[in-house]
Amino acid sequence: AAIQRGKLARFDLDPFFDLVLISGEVGIAKPDPRIFSLALAQAGMAATAPIMVGDSLDHDVAGAQSAGIATVWIKRNGEPLPAGQTVPNWAVASLTEFVDLYAGLGPAGLAP
């Protein structure tokens, strides 16, 4: 938790988030779907509203999908989806590509 809080402080990211939920502070880690459900509850959102954007198929994509959340996998090195892995709703090469995807489709268009 201290490392994650340190990153937020070092890069002055706190002002950009209304809610920060750190596994080490709540005792639940990804891919456990309870961490995603807790985040949704604290944000007052239904699972159909958010999109989890992450680079780990095992932790980010599988965990979010098991909580009913749509997912975007950032495949930074252009790697193909490994056989037998959870299939994300979308795959992008970078956060910039995700921003372009989101801007092009809009929130309603991203519903899986």
Side-chain angles (χ1 to χ4, degrees), residues 23-81:
S23 297
E25 294 175 348
V26 298
I28 307 169
K30 297 182 291 184
D32 189 327
R34 295 178 300 157
I35 190 77
F36 297 96
S37 297
L38 180 60
L40 292 173
Q42 288 188 9
M45 299 177 78
T48 56
I51 298 169
M52 172 62 182
V53 180
D55 60 0
S56 170
L57 289 167
D58 293 330
H59 295 97
D60 301 327
V61 174
Q65 285 187 349
S66 65
I69 300 171
T71 58
V72 175
W73 175 44
I74 302 174
K75 52 179 192 160
R76 297 194 189 278
N77 298 318
E79 68 267 28
L81 183 68

